[in-house]
Amino acid sequence: MKRKIVKKSVLLLLMFLLIIPSYSFANDSSGEREIPQFNEASAHDPSIIKVGDTYYAFGTHIDAAKSPDLMRWENFTNGYTTPNNTLFGDLSENLAGSFEWAGEDDADSAGGFAVWAPEVIWNEHYVHEDGSTGAYMMYYSASSTYIRSAIGYAVAKDIEGPYEYVDTIMYSGFFDHEAYDNNSSVNKEWTNTNIPELIEQGVFDEKNEDWFTEDGRYNYNLYTNAIDANLFFDEDGKLWMTYGSWAGGIFILEVDKQTGQPIYPGEDGVTEDGRMIDRYFGTKISGGYGRSGEGPYAVYDEETGYYFLYVTYGWLGADGGYHMRQFRAESPEGPYVDAAGVEAVLPDELDDGLPANRGESFEHAGHGNKLTGNFIFKRDLGEPGTGIGVGYMSPGHNSYYIDDETGKEFNVFHARFPESGEMHQIRVHQMVKNSEQWPVITPHRYAGESVDAVTSDEVSGAYKYINHGKDISAELVESTWVNLEENGTITGAVEGTWELYDDYRVSLTIEGEASSFDGVFLEQWDEVSESWVMTFSALSSDGVTVWGSKAESGSDEDVLSSIKEELNVLIPETVISHLTLPTEAVRGAQIEWASSNEEVISTEGHVNRPEIGDESVELTATISLNDEVAEWSSTVTVLAETEGRLAAYYDFDGQLSDLTGNFEDGTVTGNRLNNEGGQITYEEGVVGDAAYFDGESGIRLPNGLISSSAYSVSFWLNPEELTDFTTTFFGARTENNWVSLVPRGPVGGETMIWSGGSTFYDAPSGTTIETGEWTHVTFTVEDGTITIYLNGEPVFTGDDFPNVFTTTDAEFALGVNYWDIPYQGLMDELIIFDGSALTAEVVEELFENPGSLRPSDEEPEEPIEEDPNGEGTEPEGDGGDPEGEEPKPEDNGKDPNGDKIGNGDGVSDDDNDEKVTNDDEKEEQLGKDGSDGERLPETATNAFNALLIGALLLIMGMLVFMIRRKASVNE
C-alpha cells in the first residue's frame, strides 16, 4: 500500500513538472519561430536592386539604403552634400548637363537641389568609352517645377558609385517661345532641350505643334512631366523605360542596351487600340488629362508571361491619399488592364482640352486594382502590445523585385504612418499570386515568412479586417472585427462565406460586394503583438483588396479579463483634462460607462475641473462580449484648477538643478531621451555657465514640468551645428503626441515649433537661427494660441495649437527626443512657466536682462496645503490627520473626502503603480503591514503559477515524508 502511495506521489510530481513548462509557453505563439529584427531607413520613391547578397534601395534626394534581408536597412549616402557626395562626387559639376534645364538652385529648387526618384539597374550590355561592358545605370529626375523637369542617366562599375553623368534624354515643360518661371533664369524655349539635336540627327523632322497650347505654352494636358523613370527587360531581352507623372500620363520607350539612349519613335501615331504614340515622348500606357498617377514600375513576370505595371495615384503627402494601383498586359507597350478589364489609359471623355493637374478629380478611381490605401490595424483595448496599432499613410511609389532563387516576390515602397506626419520609411511586403495569377499584397511587412499549407483549424477564428475599396481618399481606414467560423460563414462587421482550398488559397464572398475575392492565407509577423499570426489577403474581380490579421485565441472570459487589466493602466488616478473612455475593445467587445458625478466626469469622458478642491469620481465600465459580462470600476481624482507659476528654472551653472526647488535635477542621457550614457559639460554662457551638448548627449528633465493648456518656455541657444529635425526643447505625452523646438525644421529649414499628434502642427519663425551666436527663444501657449519670440520679438502667432500636456506625467528633455540627431551647441537659462503665457513685455525683459527672473537663494517656505475654504491654514477635521499619523493602507493615501494626502500636488508618489479596484486588493499590493515591498504583478498567470508551485512543494513534502517513513519501517 505504501509503495502504491509513493508511486502515485511520484506520478503526480511528474505530471506537475510537465504542466508547468507547457502552461508557461502556451501563449508564446512565436516560440517555434525566429523573432525578426528590423532596422529602419528612409528612401522616398525607392528603387530596389539586389547585388550579391545585398539589397539596395535608391531614393529621392540622393537617399539610399541597403539590407541583407529586406528587414534590416541602413542608409549609406549623404543626400545633397557636395562636393564629396557619396554617389556623385561634385554633384553640381557632375550633373551640370541636367541642371542646365532644372534641379539646382532654380524656381522651386531655389537654394538647393531637386534630384528625384532614381532607378538603378544592372545592364551587362552597356559599352563604356574604354570599350569595357557592363554598368550599373542610374536614371534620375531633375525638377524645378511641377512640369519643368528632365530625365538624365549616369553609370558606374560599382553599385555604390561613383556614378558618372552620361546624358539628359527627356525634357518636359518647354514652350515654343522664350519664357521664364519665377525665381529662375532658365529659358524654357524648346530649343534649350535635346529636341534640336534629335532633329539634326534625323530622328524626326521637326517639333510637334501639339506639344504646345494655342498661346505657345507646354501642353501638359496631353504630354507628361519627365520624371520617375523605370527600366526593365522584356521577354526577348529588349530594354524599356517607362516614366511620367500626372499631366498627360505615363509613357514608354525602348532603350538601346549598349548606349542607354532611348529609341525615340520618330513619328506620331496611335496603337491598334487607339492610344497615343508621340515621336519624342513614346507610347502612352496609363493615365492622362491631369489626373493623378505617377511612379510607374513595370516588371516582366516569367512565370505568367505577363507584364505587370504599378502606378501610384493621389498626392504624396500624408494627407494626399497616395496609394498603389496594379495592371497587366501581354506586351510591354500594353494595353494594360486591371482585374475587371478596365484600361490603365484614361478615356478621352475626361479631356476638356485644358492643361491642368486636377488633384481634386477622382473619376479615375475605377481604373486599376487598388493594393492598399491609408489603413490601420488598430490595437484595440485588451490586445497585446502597446500603441495605437500598425498602419500606413500614403504608401506608394513602389518598385518590385522577383527573387529567381526563392520564387518570392516583393513590393518595395515608402510609407508614412498614422499620427506621424511626413516622416517616411522603406517598407517591403511579400506579394503572392492568387489563382487568377494576380499578385496580392500581404497585410504585414515582410519578416522572412514563406507560403505554406494551412488547415481549417489554423485559419478559423477572429480577424482584424480591412477593406481597401477603390476610392482615392486621404481617409484612414480602421480595422473592424470579423470571424471566419468553422462552418464556413463570415460573421461580425461583414457577413458572407469563406473556403480554404489548394492548401493555402482562400475564396471569400462578402455581402454588399459585387464580386467574390480570391487570395491566400499566410502566417506573418505582427509588430504590435510581437507574434506570428495568420493573415489573409484577397483580390476581387473588381480590383478591391481585403485583408485579415488574426487575433490571439482565448475564451471570452479571458478577453474581458485582459480588457479590465488594460483599463487599470488606461484610466489614470488623477486627471486634469478630458478622458478617452473607450466603448469598443478587442474582438468587438462593447463597453458602457457610468459616472458617480457626471458634472465632473461625464460618461463620454468630458472633465470639468473644480475651481477649489479636488473631486473624486467613481467610474464604472460594464464590458460585454457575446454572453460574457464583466464590471470594472475605479476612483478618479479630478484636480482643481491651479494658477500659473514659475514651474522650473535651470541656470546650468555647473549643475542641472531646478532653482525653484519644485522638481528634481535633470539627468544626462545618451543620444535618446530614454537611454543612458553621454556627457554634458559647461562653458561660459549668457549668465554664468551654460550647458554644452556634444551632439551625442542630452538632458532628461523631470516628468510633469507642464500639465496644462497654458505654458511658457524660454531659453538661450548657441548652436554649433544645425541638423534637420534636431530638437532643443522636447516634451511628450506619448511618442505620438509631442512638442519640439527645432532650430532647423521641416518648413524651409526654419527655426520652429513642431508638434506631432493625430495631425501635425507647424509654427515656423520665418528665419533660421545662426550657428556660433546666442539667440533668445521663447514660445508661449494659451488656449490653443501659440506665439514664438526670437530675441524678444514676436515672429509667429497661430491658433488651434494642440493641447499636448493633458496629464501630470509628460516627459521632457533637452537636445534629444525618441528619434532624431541630438543637438550640438550651448544652452542657457531655461525657464518654464506652467499655467500661464508670458506677456510680450516679460519676454522682452528676459531678452534684455537675462537672469532677471532667477529665484532667490533663500530656502523656500514649506508649502501649506490649501483647505476647501481657500484659507492658507492646515486642514482640520476630516481634511487632515491631527495626530500626524500615516494614512492607513485601506485609505490608499486619501482622506475621507477623497483629497490626496502626501506630496500636496494631487499626484501619487508612484504614478506607475498598478491600479487596484477594491480594498482587499490594495492591501495585498501594499503588503499586510502597509509597506510597499517588491511583489510580483497580480496577474492570472502569476497567481496560477503560485498555486502550481505550492502544490508541487506539497507533493514533494509528501514524497519525502513517505520515503523517510518507509526507511524507518525497514530499520
Side-chain angles (χ1 to χ4, degrees):
M1 182 66 179
K2 297 173 184 176
R3 186 174 301 171
K4 289 183 179 179
I5 294 174
V6 173
K7 288 183 177 179
K8 289 181 179 178
S9 300
V10 173
L11 181 60
L12 285 171
L13 174 62
L14 291 174
M15 288 174 62
F16 271 89
L17 289 174
L18 289 172
I19 288 173
I20 290 174
S22 65
Y23 179 82
S24 299
F25 295 105
N27 294 325
D28 185 8
S29 60
S30 61
E32 298 179 1
R33 301 186 61 174
E34 183 178 350
I35 296 176
Q37 302 297 317
F38 300 99
N39 291 331
E40 311 301 355
S42 294
H44 210 268
D45 316 321
S47 169
I48 187 74
I49 181 174
K50 186 178 183 182
V51 180
D53 294 327
T54 302
Y55 299 89
Y56 288 85
F58 291 85
T60 287
H61 305 316
I62 317 183
D63 285 333
K66 55 186 177 180
S67 169
D69 53 13
L70 297 173
M71 297 182 288
R72 293 170 292 160
W73 291 95
E74 179 184 7
N75 286 104
F76 67 92
T77 54
N78 58 354
Y80 289 134
T81 299
T82 189
N84 301 318
N85 186 273
T86 306
L87 298 181
F88 294 105
D90 190 320
L91 181 61
S92 296
E93 181 179 322
N94 196 352
L95 303 189
S98 296
F99 292 154
E100 288 178 1
W101 180 251
E104 181 184 17
D105 193 19
D106 172 59
D108 293 347
S109 62
F113 297 91
V115 181
W116 298 344
E119 164 82 322
V120 178
I121 66 164
W122 168 253
N123 178 8
E124 63 179 341
H125 308 284
Y126 182 80
V127 180
H128 294 270
E129 290 183 355
D130 62 5
S132 61
T133 58
Y136 293 99
M137 306 185 70
M138 178 185 291
Y139 287 73
Y140 60 85
S141 311
S143 185
S144 285
T145 73
Y146 65 98
I147 203 66
R148 178 161 59 87
S149 308
I151 295 172
Y153 70 101
V155 298
K157 293 188 176 183
D158 185 278
I159 184 64
E160 297 188 21
Y163 286 82
E164 292 295 329
Y165 172 81
V166 179
D167 199 6
T168 303
I169 57 175
M170 185 62 62
Y171 292 75
S172 65
F174 45 81
F175 285 27
D176 75 350
H177 57 272
E178 183 176 351
Y180 300 86
D181 289 315
N182 292 332
N183 300 316
S184 175
S185 60
V186 175
N187 181 359
K188 298 193 292 184
E189 190 169 0
W190 69 276
T191 53
N192 292 314
T193 70
N194 67 337
I195 293 173
E197 182 180 351
L198 296 174
I199 293 174
E200 183 178 341
Q201 293 172 356
V203 174
F204 42 82
D205 295 333
E206 59 185 351
K207 68 181 186 295
N208 182 354
E209 293 300 334
D210 289 340
W211 294 338
F212 311 104
T213 61
E214 291 183 359
D215 60 358
R217 297 172 178 269
Y218 183 67
N219 185 0
Y220 62 93
N221 184 53
L222 298 179
Y223 304 96
T224 195
N225 185 17
I227 62 173
D228 297 352
N230 149 247
L231 283 90
F232 67 98
F233 290 95
D234 70 7
E235 180 181 13
D236 300 320
K238 291 182 179 180
L239 184 60
W240 298 84
M241 181 180 81
T242 66
Y243 70 99
S245 170
W246 291 62
I250 308 301
F251 287 76
I252 190 169
L253 289 159
E254 188 179 349
V255 174
D256 187 305
K257 293 186 294 186
Q258 293 186 328
T259 65
Q261 291 285 331
I263 302 174
Y264 302 96
E267 58 184 25
D268 303 330
V270 294
T271 63
E272 291 182 1
D273 57 305
R275 291 175 290 117
M276 174 198 296
I277 301 174
D278 179 77
R279 68 190 73 177
Y280 178 63
F281 291 104
T283 301
K284 190 174 186 178
I285 59 172
S286 178
Y289 308 125
R291 271 64 181 184
S292 67
E294 65 182 14
Y297 201 91
V299 60
Y300 174 65
D301 182 66
E302 185 176 354
E303 179 185 5
T304 62
Y306 285 115
Y307 296 89
F308 287 94
L309 173 67
Y310 295 87
V311 178
T312 298
Y313 286 4
W315 179 71
L316 60 84
D319 60 352
Y322 217 48
H323 68 275
M324 296 166 282
R325 299 279 175 143
Q326 178 190 60
F327 305 89
R328 71 185 180 193
E330 296 178 353
S331 165
E333 294 182 281
Y336 287 87
V337 298
D338 64 16
V342 178
E343 291 193 7
V345 171
L346 301 183
D348 292 341
E349 61 201 49
L350 296 181
D351 181 13
D352 61 8
L354 298 176
N357 283 337
R358 297 165 174 81
E360 301 301 321
S361 296
F362 307 126
E363 302 93 336
H364 59 310
H367 295 248
N369 303 332
K370 184 178 179 182
L371 298 187
T372 170
N374 295 344
F375 76 93
I376 183 170
F377 280 119
K378 291 191 303 177
R379 181 193 165 274
D380 285 326
L381 190 73
E383 286 192 82
T386 60
I388 61 173
V390 62
Y392 300 148
M393 301 293 290
S394 290
H397 201 128
N398 69 296
S399 54
Y400 203 92
Y401 180 74
I402 301 175
D403 192 313
D404 293 332
E405 294 181 5
T406 65
K408 291 182 179 181
E409 303 180 27
F410 302 101
N411 191 324
V412 183
F413 54 93
H414 71 253
R416 290 167 171 79
F417 306 94
E419 299 189 6
S420 298
E422 298 303 323
M423 186 270 290
H424 55 82
Q425 294 173 346
I426 298 169
R427 283 296 180 268
V428 180
H429 282 232
Q430 190 172 177
M431 305 283 286
V432 183
K433 292 187 180 73
N434 67 9
S435 61
E436 299 298 322
Q437 299 302 305
W438 285 103
V440 296
I441 185 168
T442 53
H444 292 291
R445 70 188 300 184
Y446 178 66
E449 70 275 358
S450 298
V451 175
D452 202 356
V454 297
T455 66
S456 293
D457 288 341
E458 290 175 318
V459 300
S460 61
Y463 285 78
K464 296 180 184 181
Y465 174 75
I466 297 282
N467 185 324
H468 289 289
K470 287 277 281 191
D471 59 337
I472 302 171
S473 172
E475 294 298 317
L476 179 66
V477 176
E478 296 184 345
S479 60
T480 55
W481 288 92
V482 301
N483 293 290
L484 301 190
E485 305 288 357
E486 292 180 357
N487 63 5
T489 61
I490 302 173
T491 60
V494 298
E495 296 184 345
T497 62
W498 69 278
E499 179 186 4
L500 168 66
Y501 71 101
D502 290 351
D503 294 330
Y504 66 93
R505 299 191 183 278
V506 61
S507 175
L508 303 158
T509 59
I510 298 173
E511 291 185 11
E513 294 291 339
S515 58
S516 61
F517 294 78
D518 188 73
V520 298
F521 284 111
L522 180 65
E523 193 174 32
Q524 292 193 283
W525 179 256
D526 177 5
E527 292 181 86
V528 176
S529 66
E530 296 185 334
S531 63
W532 291 96
V533 299
M534 188 59 65
T535 69
F536 66 78
S537 177
L539 180 72
S540 76
S541 56
D542 292 320
V544 176
T545 297
V546 294
W547 283 348
S549 181
K550 195 176 182 183
E552 285 190 358
S553 60
S555 68
D556 291 349
E557 185 178 358
D558 292 337
V559 171
L560 296 188
S561 295
S562 68
I563 294 170
K564 290 170 64 177
E565 287 182 9
E566 188 164 353
L567 285 174
N568 287 333
V569 178
L570 178 67
I571 306 302
E573 291 182 354
T574 58
V575 298
I576 59 173
S577 186
H578 302 315
L579 289 169
T580 299
L581 299 181
T583 57
E584 292 183 343
V586 58
R587 282 170 37 184
Q590 299 296 303
I591 306 176
E592 294 184 0
W593 289 91
S595 169
S596 65
N597 189 341
E598 291 200 38
E599 291 185 0
V600 178
I601 302 180
S602 74
T603 54
E604 289 77 34
H606 186 85
V607 172
N608 290 311
R609 295 178 67 180
E611 293 184 2
I612 300 176
D614 302 340
E615 291 280 354
S616 294
V617 178
E618 186 82 6
L619 289 178
T620 302
T622 302
I623 315 163
S624 59
L625 177 62
N626 299 322
D627 296 329
E628 291 289 334
V629 178
E631 193 171 276
W632 174 94
S633 64
S634 179
T635 299
V636 176
T637 300
V638 180
L639 302 184
E641 294 281 1
T642 58
E643 294 183 0
R645 64 167 183 164
L646 173 59
Y649 195 121
Y650 293 89
D651 65 355
F652 305 121
D653 279 354
Q655 40 75 32
L656 301 178
S657 298
D658 167 26
L659 300 186
T660 70
N662 293 326
F663 291 93
E664 298 296 325
D665 294 356
T667 56
V668 179
T669 73
N671 63 354
R672 295 291 181 266
L673 178 153
N674 47 9
N675 68 9
E676 298 178 352
Q679 66 173 358
I680 296 294
T681 56
Y682 301 93
E683 299 182 6
E684 183 180 354
V686 177
V687 180
D689 291 339
Y692 175 73
F693 297 73
D694 60 7
E696 298 178 354
S697 310
I699 298 173
R700 175 70 182 267
L701 298 173
N703 289 0
L705 288 172
I706 301 171
S707 58
S708 68
S709 60
Y711 52 91
S712 305
V713 178
S714 174
F715 58 115
W716 288 84
L717 287 175
N718 186 345
E720 191 172 284
E721 184 176 339
L722 297 179
T723 48
D724 290 340
F725 314 139
T726 290
T727 189
T728 51
F729 177 88
F730 182 81
R733 183 173 79 245
T734 69
E735 288 193 25
N736 294 314
N737 296 271
W738 45 264
V739 173
S740 181
L741 195 151
V742 288
R744 189 164 81 184
V747 179
E750 297 178 14
T751 299
M752 60 185 288
I753 293 293
W754 197 22
S755 179
S758 57
T759 59
F760 270 50
Y761 193 102
D762 297 332
S765 67
T767 187
T768 305
I769 64 173
E770 298 291 336
T771 58
E773 64 180 55
W774 285 103
T775 301
H776 185 248
V777 182
T778 300
F779 68 96
T780 66
V781 176
E782 186 170 32
D783 296 330
T785 298
I786 181 171
T787 303
I788 301 175
Y789 301 82
L790 294 181
N791 291 332
E793 297 293 330
V795 292
F796 177 88
T797 298
D799 296 325
D800 300 320
F801 191 75
N803 186 15
V804 172
F805 304 116
T806 60
T807 64
T808 58
D809 60 353
E811 296 182 331
F812 295 89
L814 301 176
V816 289
N817 55 24
Y818 302 112
W819 323 278
D820 297 306
I821 299 171
Y823 171 70
Q824 184 170 344
L826 295 167
M827 195 179 302
D828 202 4
E829 302 297 305
L830 171 67
I831 309 173
I832 299 172
F833 282 82
D834 187 21
S836 65
L838 297 179
T839 64
E841 291 76 16
V842 174
V843 173
E844 184 178 8
E845 173 68 16
L846 289 173
F847 168 64
E848 296 288 348
N849 298 292
S852 58
L853 290 184
R854 278 194 178 194
S856 66
D857 294 332
E858 297 179 5
E859 290 293 325
E861 297 181 6
E862 290 294 324
I864 299 176
E865 187 169 85
E866 187 175 35
D867 70 10
N869 297 321
E871 299 178 4
T873 60
E874 289 288 309
E876 299 178 0
D878 291 341
D881 184 1
E883 299 300 325
E885 296 177 0
E886 293 293 324
K888 298 178 182 179
E890 60 267 23
D891 291 333
N892 199 28
K894 297 177 182 177
D895 70 10
N897 291 328
D899 292 329
K900 180 72 70 173
I901 299 174
N903 58 18
D905 62 1
V907 183
S908 66
D909 291 331
D910 187 356
D911 289 340
N912 295 320
D913 285 348
E914 185 176 349
K915 186 177 291 294
V916 290
T917 57
N918 60 62
D919 290 341
D920 291 337
E921 290 176 352
K922 293 170 186 174
E923 187 169 299
E924 285 295 323
Q925 181 165 310
L926 290 172
K928 296 294 183 180
D929 61 353
S931 64
D932 188 6
E934 295 184 3
R935 303 176 62 88
L936 288 173
E938 301 248 358
T939 64
T941 301
N942 288 330
F944 185 70
N945 284 342
L947 289 173
L948 287 176
I949 292 170
L952 177 60
L953 291 173
L954 178 61
I955 293 171
M956 291 177 66
M958 290 174 58
L959 180 61
V960 171
F961 174 76
M962 295 303 299
I963 292 172
R964 293 186 63 181
R965 184 172 181 181
K966 181 180 179 181
S968 64
V969 170
N970 290 337
E971 290 175 358

